[in-house]
Amino acid sequence: MTFHIFKELPLLRPELSLSNKYKMFESVSIRNIVEGVDLTKFQEADFIHFASHGFPISNYNDPIFATMSGPFSDKSLSFAEIQTKFNKFDYQLVLLSACDSSDSLNSAFNKTYDTNELISFPLIFLLNQKSVVISFNWPIIDIVPYVFSSLFLEIYQIEQDFYRTFNKTQLSLYELTIENLLRILENIEDFREY
């Protein structure tokens, strides 16, 4: 069996830089979790945009061992870390731009949970009781989260409401023309650098 070294997605940096382009928030600070994460920086965040490879939480025998990017990424945010620390933060929006980030499980080593006790990454990000969480429930190719993020941030500038923005973004994806897709992709400065 061959294991590939965990590597970044080609459109990761361009996707994260969209926040600067659309000026959604006063200041944007991009943190590379591969270099380690200073969780104190999340205390000041209104918007957490997690762009990475994703790994289904249901592939774990127990959520306590789960990480957002899976077992081959030793620097990813862990389930336990998010559960014990992020509930104290004041973020308003979390965009989990990763494959299977909405995946859930209902069992652990010691128990099987009721259906109302499903465990997922979006649910633990909601523990701060102030946030909206957007995530993907299927494997995705790198271009999809980039296009979704671009549309979402563009529409939010007009709507200024997370729920309406999310709904309009879904509709925009459904109605996306080739011309609009190319307009979005033209914003990637130099794909060869990524």
Side-chain angles (χ1 to χ4, degrees):
M1 181 179 286
T2 304
F3 292 105
H4 297 282
I5 296 171
F6 184 84
K7 39 185 213 183
E8 287 185 355
L9 298 167
L11 293 177
L12 184 144
R13 285 191 181 97
E15 182 182 344
L16 294 176
S17 69
L18 288 169
S19 294
N20 285 328
K21 177 183 185 252
Y22 289 107
K23 308 281 187 250
M24 186 169 172
F25 297 97
E26 283 182 30
S27 64
V28 175
S29 177
I30 296 175
R31 304 287 174 210
N32 186 343
I33 62 171
V34 174
E35 298 163 0
V37 176
D38 178 2
L39 289 179
T40 60
K41 299 296 182 189
F42 286 98
Q43 293 173 354
E44 305 158 5
D46 290 318
F47 173 39
I48 298 172
H49 187 162
F50 185 87
S52 172
H53 288 284
F55 190 80
I57 196 170
S58 61
N59 284 2
Y60 289 92
N61 291 328
D62 197 314
I64 200 68
F65 301 113
T67 63
M68 289 286 301
S69 299
F72 304 119
S73 172
D74 61 351
K75 300 288 185 179
S76 184
L77 291 172
S78 72
F79 182 89
E81 198 171 34
I82 298 165
Q83 185 181 34
T84 58
K85 300 198 170 102
F86 280 64
N87 63 325
K88 301 172 185 79
F89 300 158
D90 289 328
Y91 52 86
Q92 300 168 24
L93 175 66
V94 177
L95 176 53
L96 301 179
S97 189
C99 289
D100 300 303
S101 54
S102 282
D103 186 54
S104 62
L105 63 98
N106 65 349
S107 62
F109 281 136
N110 296 320
K111 74 178 268 186
T112 298
Y113 298 97
D114 295 331
T115 54
N116 63 340
E117 295 180 302
L118 289 176
I119 295 173
S120 68
F121 283 108
L123 289 175
I124 59 171
F125 277 108
L126 290 171
L127 289 177
N128 78 344
Q129 299 180 27
K130 300 171 188 164
S131 59
V132 170
V133 180
I134 299 169
S135 61
F136 293 92
N137 199 30
W138 55 85
I140 48 177
I141 58 173
D142 195 22
I143 197 169
V144 174
Y146 178 85
V147 171
F148 178 88
S149 297
S150 181
L151 289 169
F152 183 88
L153 295 170
E154 184 178 335
I155 293 168
Y156 182 79
Q157 284 187 315
I158 299 162
E159 294 298 328
Q160 297 293 307
D161 176 89
F162 296 136
Y163 300 101
R164 280 196 309 273
T165 298
F166 178 71
N167 289 334
K168 287 190 174 188
T169 302
Q170 287 183 307
L171 182 61
S172 294
L173 279 173
Y174 180 76
E175 296 175 342
L176 191 63
T177 63
I178 291 172
E179 292 79 20
N180 282 338
L181 176 62
L182 292 174
R183 176 188 59 83
I184 292 168
L185 297 178
E186 285 173 353
N187 290 318
I188 301 170
E189 291 176 9
D190 189 350
F191 184 81
R192 291 178 302 245
E193 291 180 13
Y194 302 105

Coordinates of all heavy atoms in Angstrom, one line a residue, residues 30-109:
I30 N -5.0 35.1 7.2 CA -5.0 33.7 6.7 C -3.9 32.9 7.5 O -2.8 33.3 7.6 CB -4.6 33.6 5.2 CG1 -5.7 34.3 4.4 CG2 -4.4 32.2 4.7 CD1 -5.4 34.5 2.9
R31 N -4.4 31.8 8.1 CA -3.5 31.0 8.9 C -3.3 29.7 8.2 O -4.3 29.0 7.8 CB -4.1 30.7 10.3 CG -4.5 31.9 11.1 CD -3.2 32.6 11.6 NE -3.6 33.8 12.2 CZ -2.8 34.9 12.3 NH1 -1.6 34.8 11.8 NH2 -3.2 36.0 12.8
N32 N -2.1 29.3 8.0 CA -1.8 28.0 7.4 C -1.6 26.9 8.5 O -0.7 27.0 9.3 CB -0.5 28.1 6.6 CG -0.2 26.9 5.8 OD1 -0.7 25.8 6.1 ND2 0.7 27.0 4.8
I33 N -2.6 26.0 8.6 CA -2.5 25.0 9.7 C -1.4 24.1 9.5 O -1.0 23.4 10.5 CB -3.8 24.2 9.8 CG1 -4.2 23.4 8.6 CG2 -5.0 25.2 10.2 CD1 -5.3 22.5 8.8
V34 N -0.8 24.0 8.3 CA 0.4 23.1 8.2 C 1.5 23.6 9.0 O 2.4 22.8 9.5 CB 0.8 23.0 6.7 CG1 2.0 22.2 6.5 CG2 -0.4 22.3 5.9
E35 N 1.6 24.9 9.2 CA 2.7 25.5 10.0 C 2.3 25.6 11.5 O 3.0 26.1 12.3 CB 3.0 26.9 9.5 CG 3.4 26.9 8.1 CD 3.3 28.3 7.4 OE1 2.9 29.3 8.1 OE2 3.7 28.4 6.3
G36 N 1.2 25.0 11.8 CA 0.7 25.1 13.2 C -0.3 26.2 13.4 O -0.3 27.2 12.7
V37 N -1.2 26.1 14.4 CA -2.3 27.0 14.5 C -2.2 27.6 15.9 O -2.1 26.9 16.9 CB -3.7 26.3 14.4 CG1 -4.8 27.3 14.7 CG2 -3.8 25.8 13.0
D38 N -2.3 29.0 16.0 CA -2.4 29.7 17.2 C -3.8 29.9 17.5 O -4.4 30.8 16.8 CB -1.6 31.0 17.1 CG -1.7 31.8 18.4 OD1 -2.3 31.4 19.4 OD2 -1.1 32.9 18.4
L39 N -4.4 29.1 18.3 CA -5.9 29.2 18.5 C -6.3 30.5 19.1 O -7.5 30.9 19.0 CB -6.4 28.0 19.4 CG -6.3 26.7 18.8 CD1 -6.8 25.6 19.7 CD2 -7.2 26.6 17.5
T40 N -5.4 31.3 19.7 CA -5.8 32.6 20.2 C -6.3 33.5 19.1 O -7.1 34.4 19.3 CB -4.7 33.3 21.0 OG1 -3.6 33.5 20.2 CG2 -4.3 32.4 22.2
K41 N -5.8 33.3 17.9 CA -6.2 34.1 16.7 C -7.7 33.9 16.4 O -8.3 34.7 15.8 CB -5.3 33.8 15.5 CG -3.9 34.1 15.7 CD -3.6 35.6 16.0 CE -2.2 35.9 16.2 NZ -1.9 37.2 16.6
F42 N -8.2 32.7 16.7 CA -9.6 32.4 16.4 C -10.5 33.1 17.3 O -11.7 33.3 17.0 CB -9.8 30.9 16.5 CG -9.3 30.1 15.3 CD1 -8.1 29.5 15.4 CD2 -10.0 30.0 14.1 CE1 -7.5 28.8 14.4 CE2 -9.5 29.3 13.0 CZ -8.2 28.7 13.2
Q43 N -10.1 33.6 18.5 CA -10.9 34.3 19.4 C -11.4 35.6 18.8 O -12.5 36.1 19.2 CB -10.1 34.6 20.7 CG -9.8 33.3 21.5 CD -8.9 33.6 22.7 OE1 -8.4 34.7 22.9 NE2 -8.7 32.5 23.5
E44 N -10.6 36.2 17.9 CA -11.0 37.5 17.3 C -11.7 37.3 16.0 O -12.2 38.3 15.4 CB -9.7 38.2 17.0 CG -8.8 38.4 18.2 CD -7.3 38.7 17.8 OE1 -7.0 38.8 16.6 OE2 -6.5 38.7 18.8
A45 N -11.9 36.1 15.5 CA -12.5 35.9 14.2 C -14.0 36.0 14.1 O -14.7 35.5 15.0 CB -12.0 34.5 13.7
D46 N -14.5 36.6 13.1 CA -15.9 36.6 12.8 C -16.3 35.5 11.8 O -17.3 35.0 11.8 CB -16.3 38.0 12.2 CG -16.3 39.1 13.1 OD1 -16.7 38.9 14.3 OD2 -15.8 40.2 12.7
F47 N -15.3 35.2 11.0 CA -15.5 34.3 9.9 C -14.3 33.3 9.8 O -13.2 33.7 9.8 CB -15.6 35.1 8.6 CG -15.6 34.3 7.3 CD1 -16.3 33.1 7.2 CD2 -14.9 34.7 6.2 CE1 -16.3 32.4 6.0 CE2 -15.0 34.0 5.0 CZ -15.7 32.8 4.9
I48 N -14.6 32.0 9.9 CA -13.6 31.0 9.8 C -13.8 30.2 8.5 O -14.9 29.7 8.3 CB -13.7 30.0 11.0 CG1 -13.4 30.7 12.3 CG2 -12.7 28.8 10.8 CD1 -13.6 29.9 13.5
H49 N -12.9 30.3 7.6 CA -12.9 29.6 6.3 C -11.9 28.6 6.3 O -10.7 28.8 6.2 CB -12.7 30.7 5.2 CG -12.9 30.2 3.9 ND1 -13.1 31.0 2.8 CD2 -13.0 28.9 3.3 CE1 -13.2 30.3 1.7 NE2 -13.2 29.1 2.0
F50 N -12.3 27.3 6.5 CA -11.4 26.2 6.5 C -11.4 25.6 5.1 O -12.3 24.9 4.7 CB -11.9 25.2 7.6 CG -11.0 24.0 7.8 CD1 -9.9 24.1 8.7 CD2 -11.1 22.9 7.1 CE1 -9.0 23.1 8.9 CE2 -10.3 21.8 7.3 CZ -9.2 21.9 8.2
A51 N -10.3 25.7 4.4 CA -10.1 25.2 3.1 C -9.0 24.1 3.1 O -7.8 24.5 3.4 CB -9.8 26.3 2.1
S52 N -9.3 22.9 2.9 CA -8.4 21.8 3.0 C -8.9 20.6 2.4 O -10.1 20.5 2.0 CB -8.1 21.6 4.5 OG -7.3 20.4 4.7
H53 N -8.1 19.5 2.3 CA -8.6 18.2 2.0 C -9.6 17.8 3.2 O -9.3 18.3 4.3 CB -7.5 17.2 2.0 CG -6.7 17.3 0.8 ND1 -7.1 16.8 -0.5 CD2 -5.4 17.8 0.6 CE1 -6.1 17.1 -1.3 NE2 -5.1 17.7 -0.7
G54 N -10.6 17.1 2.9 CA -11.5 16.6 4.0 C -11.5 15.1 4.1 O -11.0 14.4 3.2
F55 N -12.0 14.7 5.2 CA -12.0 13.2 5.5 C -13.3 12.9 6.2 O -13.6 13.6 7.2 CB -10.8 12.8 6.3 CG -10.6 11.3 6.4 CD1 -10.0 10.6 5.4 CD2 -11.0 10.7 7.6 CE1 -9.8 9.3 5.5 CE2 -10.8 9.3 7.7 CZ -10.2 8.6 6.6
P56 N -14.1 11.9 5.8 CA -15.4 11.7 6.5 C -15.2 11.3 8.0 O -14.4 10.4 8.3 CB -16.0 10.5 5.7 CG -15.2 10.4 4.4 CD -13.9 11.0 4.7
I57 N -15.9 11.9 8.8 CA -15.8 11.6 10.3 C -16.3 10.2 10.5 O -15.9 9.5 11.5 CB -16.5 12.7 11.1 CG1 -16.1 12.5 12.6 CG2 -18.0 12.6 11.0 CD1 -16.6 13.7 13.5
S58 N -17.2 9.7 9.7 CA -17.8 8.4 9.8 C -16.8 7.3 9.6 O -17.0 6.1 9.9 CB -19.0 8.2 8.9 OG -18.6 8.3 7.6
N59 N -15.6 7.6 9.0 CA -14.5 6.6 8.8 C -13.8 6.3 10.1 O -12.9 5.4 10.2 CB -13.6 7.1 7.7 CG -14.1 6.9 6.4 OD1 -15.3 6.5 6.2 ND2 -13.4 7.2 5.4
Y60 N -14.0 7.1 11.2 CA -13.4 6.9 12.5 C -14.3 6.0 13.3 O -15.5 6.0 13.2 CB -13.2 8.2 13.2 CG -12.1 9.1 12.6 CD1 -12.4 10.0 11.6 CD2 -10.8 8.9 12.9 CE1 -11.4 10.8 11.0 CE2 -9.8 9.7 12.4 CZ -10.1 10.7 11.4 OH -9.1 11.4 10.9
N61 N -13.7 5.2 14.2 CA -14.4 4.4 15.1 C -14.9 5.2 16.3 O -15.9 4.8 17.0 CB -13.5 3.3 15.7 CG -13.2 2.2 14.6 OD1 -14.0 2.0 13.8 ND2 -12.0 1.6 14.7
D62 N -14.3 6.3 16.5 CA -14.7 7.2 17.6 C -14.4 8.6 17.2 O -13.3 8.9 16.7 CB -14.0 6.8 18.9 CG -14.6 7.4 20.1 OD1 -15.0 8.6 20.1 OD2 -14.8 6.7 21.1
P63 N -15.3 9.6 17.4 CA -15.0 11.0 16.9 C -13.9 11.6 17.6 O -13.3 12.5 17.1 CB -16.3 11.7 17.2 CG -17.0 10.9 18.3 CD -16.6 9.5 18.0
I64 N -13.5 11.2 18.8 CA -12.4 11.8 19.6 C -11.1 11.7 18.8 O -10.2 12.5 19.0 CB -12.3 11.1 21.0 CG1 -11.5 12.1 21.9 CG2 -11.7 9.8 20.9 CD1 -12.3 13.3 22.2
F65 N -11.0 10.8 17.9 CA -9.8 10.6 17.1 C -9.8 11.3 15.7 O -8.8 11.4 15.0 CB -9.5 9.1 16.8 CG -9.3 8.3 18.1 CD1 -10.3 7.4 18.4 CD2 -8.3 8.5 18.9 CE1 -10.2 6.6 19.6 CE2 -8.2 7.8 20.1 CZ -9.1 6.8 20.4
A66 N -10.9 11.9 15.4 CA -11.1 12.6 14.1 C -10.4 13.9 14.0 O -10.3 14.6 14.9 CB -12.6 12.8 13.9
T67 N -9.9 14.2 12.8 CA -9.4 15.5 12.4 C -10.1 15.9 11.1 O -10.5 15.1 10.3 CB -7.9 15.4 12.2 OG1 -7.6 14.6 11.1 CG2 -7.1 15.0 13.4
M68 N -10.1 17.2 10.9 CA -10.8 17.7 9.7 C -10.3 17.2 8.4 O -11.0 16.9 7.5 CB -10.7 19.3 9.7 CG -11.5 20.0 10.8 SD -13.3 20.0 10.4 CE -13.3 20.8 8.9
S69 N -8.9 17.1 8.3 CA -8.3 16.7 7.1 C -7.9 15.2 7.0 O -7.3 14.8 6.1 CB -7.1 17.5 6.8 OG -7.5 18.9 6.7
G70 N -8.3 14.4 8.1 CA -8.0 13.0 8.1 C -6.7 12.6 8.7 O -5.9 13.4 9.1
P71 N -6.5 11.3 8.8 CA -5.4 10.8 9.5 C -4.0 11.0 8.9 O -3.0 10.9 9.6 CB -5.6 9.3 9.6 CG -6.5 9.0 8.4 CD -7.3 10.2 8.2
F72 N -3.9 11.4 7.6 CA -2.6 11.7 7.0 C -2.2 13.1 7.1 O -1.2 13.5 6.6 CB -2.7 11.2 5.5 CG -3.1 9.8 5.4 CD1 -4.2 9.5 4.7 CD2 -2.4 8.8 6.0 CE1 -4.6 8.1 4.5 CE2 -2.7 7.4 5.8 CZ -3.9 7.1 5.1
S73 N -2.9 13.9 7.8 CA -2.6 15.3 8.1 C -2.4 15.5 9.6 O -3.4 15.6 10.3 CB -3.7 16.2 7.5 OG -3.4 17.6 7.9
D74 N -1.2 15.5 10.0 CA -1.0 15.6 11.5 C -1.1 17.0 12.0 O -1.1 17.3 13.2 CB 0.4 15.1 11.8 CG 1.6 15.9 11.2 OD1 1.3 16.7 10.3 OD2 2.7 15.6 11.5
K75 N -1.3 18.0 11.2 CA -1.5 19.4 11.6 C -2.9 19.9 11.5 O -3.2 21.1 11.8 CB -0.6 20.3 10.8 CG 0.9 20.0 10.9 CD 1.4 20.4 12.2 CE 2.9 20.2 12.2 NZ 3.6 20.5 13.4
S76 N -3.9 19.1 11.1 CA -5.2 19.5 11.0 C -5.9 19.7 12.3 O -5.4 19.2 13.3 CB -6.0 18.4 10.2 OG -7.3 18.9 9.9
L77 N -7.0 20.5 12.3 CA -7.8 20.7 13.5 C -8.5 19.4 13.9 O -9.1 18.7 13.1 CB -8.8 21.8 13.3 CG -8.3 23.2 13.1 CD1 -9.4 24.1 12.8 CD2 -7.6 23.7 14.4
S78 N -8.4 19.0 15.2 CA -9.0 17.8 15.7 C -10.4 18.1 16.2 O -10.7 19.2 16.6 CB -8.1 17.2 16.8 OG -8.2 18.0 18.0
F79 N -11.2 17.0 16.2 CA -12.5 17.1 16.8 C -12.5 17.6 18.2 O -13.2 18.5 18.6 CB -13.2 15.7 16.7 CG -14.6 15.7 17.2 CD1 -15.6 15.9 16.3 CD2 -14.9 15.4 18.5 CE1 -16.9 15.9 16.8 CE2 -16.2 15.4 19.0 CZ -17.2 15.6 18.1
A80 N -11.6 17.0 19.0 CA -11.5 17.3 20.4 C -11.1 18.8 20.6 O -11.6 19.5 21.5 CB -10.5 16.4 21.1
E81 N -10.2 19.3 19.8 CA -9.7 20.7 19.9 C -10.9 21.6 19.6 O -11.1 22.6 20.3 CB -8.6 20.8 18.9 CG -7.7 22.0 19.0 CD -6.5 21.9 18.1 OE1 -6.7 21.4 17.0 OE2 -5.5 22.4 18.5
I82 N -11.6 21.3 18.5 CA -12.8 22.2 18.2 C -13.8 22.1 19.2 O -14.4 23.2 19.7 CB -13.4 21.7 16.8 CG1 -12.3 21.9 15.7 CG2 -14.6 22.6 16.5 CD1 -12.7 21.2 14.4
Q83 N -14.1 20.9 19.7 CA -15.2 20.8 20.7 C -14.9 21.5 22.0 O -15.7 22.1 22.7 CB -15.4 19.3 21.0 CG -16.5 19.0 21.9 CD -16.7 17.5 22.2 OE1 -15.7 16.8 22.2 NE2 -17.9 17.1 22.3
T84 N -13.6 21.5 22.5 CA -13.3 22.0 23.8 C -12.9 23.5 23.7 O -13.0 24.2 24.8 CB -12.1 21.2 24.4 OG1 -11.0 21.3 23.6 CG2 -12.5 19.8 24.7
K85 N -12.5 24.0 22.6 CA -12.0 25.4 22.5 C -12.9 26.4 21.7 O -13.1 27.5 22.1 CB -10.6 25.4 22.0 CG -9.7 24.6 22.9 CD -8.2 25.0 22.7 CE -7.4 24.3 23.7 NZ -6.7 23.1 23.3
F86 N -13.4 25.9 20.6 CA -14.1 26.8 19.7 C -15.5 27.2 20.2 O -16.0 28.2 19.8 CB -14.3 26.2 18.3 CG -13.1 26.3 17.5 CD1 -11.9 25.6 17.8 CD2 -13.1 27.0 16.3 CE1 -10.8 25.7 17.1 CE2 -11.9 27.1 15.5 CZ -10.8 26.5 15.9
N87 N -16.1 26.5 21.2 CA -17.4 26.9 21.7 C -17.3 28.2 22.5 O -18.3 28.9 22.7 CB -18.0 25.8 22.6 CG -17.1 25.5 23.8 OD1 -15.9 25.6 23.7 ND2 -17.7 25.2 24.9
K88 N -16.1 28.7 22.8 CA -15.9 29.9 23.6 C -15.7 31.1 22.6 O -15.6 32.2 23.1 CB -14.7 29.8 24.5 CG -14.9 28.6 25.5 CD -13.6 28.4 26.3 CE -13.7 27.3 27.3 NZ -13.5 26.0 26.6
F89 N -15.5 30.8 21.3 CA -15.2 31.9 20.4 C -16.5 32.6 19.8 O -17.5 32.0 19.9 CB -14.3 31.4 19.2 CG -13.0 30.7 19.7 CD1 -12.4 29.8 18.9 CD2 -12.4 31.1 20.9 CE1 -11.2 29.3 19.2 CE2 -11.2 30.5 21.3 CZ -10.6 29.6 20.5
D90 N -16.3 33.8 19.3 CA -17.5 34.6 18.9 C -17.7 34.6 17.4 O -18.4 35.5 16.9 CB -17.3 36.0 19.4 CG -17.5 36.1 20.9 OD1 -18.3 35.4 21.4 OD2 -16.8 37.0 21.5
Y91 N -17.1 33.7 16.6 CA -17.3 33.7 15.2 C -18.8 33.6 14.8 O -19.6 33.0 15.5 CB -16.5 32.5 14.5 CG -16.8 31.2 15.1 CD1 -17.9 30.4 14.7 CD2 -16.0 30.6 16.1 CE1 -18.1 29.1 15.2 CE2 -16.2 29.4 16.7 CZ -17.3 28.6 16.2 OH -17.6 27.4 16.8
Q92 N -19.1 34.2 13.7 CA -20.5 34.2 13.2 C -20.7 33.3 12.0 O -21.8 32.8 11.8 CB -20.8 35.6 12.7 CG -20.7 36.7 13.8 CD -20.8 38.1 13.1 OE1 -21.4 38.3 12.1 NE2 -20.3 39.0 13.8
L93 N -19.7 33.0 11.3 CA -19.8 32.2 10.1 C -18.6 31.2 10.0 O -17.5 31.6 10.2 CB -19.8 33.0 8.8 CG -19.9 32.3 7.5 CD1 -21.2 31.5 7.3 CD2 -19.7 33.3 6.3
V94 N -18.9 29.9 9.7 CA -17.9 28.9 9.4 C -18.1 28.3 8.0 O -19.3 27.9 7.8 CB -17.8 27.8 10.5 CG1 -16.8 26.8 10.1 CG2 -17.6 28.4 11.9
L95 N -17.2 28.4 7.2 CA -17.3 27.8 5.9 C -16.3 26.6 5.8 O -15.1 26.8 5.8 CB -17.0 28.8 4.7 CG -17.0 28.2 3.3 CD1 -18.3 27.4 3.0 CD2 -16.8 29.3 2.3
L96 N -16.8 25.4 5.9 CA -15.9 24.2 5.9 C -15.8 23.8 4.4 O -16.6 23.0 3.9 CB -16.5 23.1 6.7 CG -16.7 23.4 8.2 CD1 -17.3 22.3 9.0 CD2 -15.4 23.9 8.9
S97 N -14.8 24.3 3.8 CA -14.6 24.1 2.3 C -13.7 22.8 2.2 O -12.6 23.0 1.8 CB -14.0 25.3 1.8 OG -14.0 25.3 0.4
A98 N -14.3 21.7 2.4 CA -13.5 20.4 2.4 C -14.5 19.3 2.0 O -15.6 19.3 2.4 CB -12.8 20.2 3.7
C99 N -14.0 18.3 1.4 CA -14.8 17.1 1.1 C -15.4 16.5 2.4 O -14.7 16.4 3.4 CB -13.9 16.0 0.4 SG -13.4 16.4 -1.3
D100 N -16.6 16.1 2.3 CA -17.2 15.3 3.3 C -17.3 16.0 4.7 O -17.4 15.4 5.7 CB -16.6 13.9 3.5 CG -16.7 13.1 2.2 OD1 -17.8 12.9 1.8 OD2 -15.6 12.7 1.7
S101 N -17.2 17.3 4.7 CA -17.1 18.0 6.0 C -18.4 18.0 6.7 O -18.5 18.3 7.9 CB -16.6 19.5 5.8 OG -17.4 20.2 4.8
S102 N -19.5 17.6 6.1 CA -20.8 17.5 6.8 C -21.1 16.1 7.2 O -22.1 15.8 7.8 CB -22.0 17.9 5.8 OG -22.1 19.3 5.8
D103 N -20.2 15.2 6.8 CA -20.4 13.8 7.2 C -20.6 13.6 8.7 O -20.1 14.4 9.5 CB -19.2 13.0 6.7 CG -19.4 11.5 6.9 OD1 -20.3 10.9 6.4 OD2 -18.5 10.9 7.6
S104 N -21.4 12.6 9.1 CA -21.7 12.5 10.5 C -21.6 11.0 10.9 O -21.6 10.1 10.1 CB -23.1 13.0 10.8 OG -24.1 12.2 10.1
L105 N -21.5 10.8 12.2 CA -21.5 9.4 12.7 C -22.4 9.4 14.0 O -22.7 10.4 14.6 CB -20.1 8.9 13.0 CG -19.3 9.6 14.1 CD1 -19.4 8.8 15.4 CD2 -17.8 9.6 13.6
N106 N -22.8 8.2 14.3 CA -23.7 8.1 15.5 C -23.3 7.0 16.5 O -24.1 6.5 17.2 CB -25.2 7.9 15.1 CG -25.4 6.6 14.4 OD1 -24.4 5.9 14.0 ND2 -26.6 6.2 14.2
S107 N -21.9 6.7 16.4 CA -21.5 5.7 17.4 C -20.0 6.1 17.8 O -19.3 6.8 17.1 CB -21.5 4.3 16.8 OG -20.6 4.3 15.6
A108 N -19.6 5.5 18.9 CA -18.3 5.6 19.4 C -17.9 4.3 20.0 O -18.7 3.3 20.0 CB -18.2 6.8 20.5
F109 N -16.7 4.2 20.6 CA -16.3 2.9 21.2 C -17.3 2.5 22.3 O -17.6 1.3 22.4 CB -14.9 3.1 21.9 CG -13.8 3.1 20.9 CD1 -12.7 4.0 21.0 CD2 -13.7 2.1 19.9 CE1 -11.7 3.9 20.2 CE2 -12.6 2.1 19.0 CZ -11.6 3.0 19.2

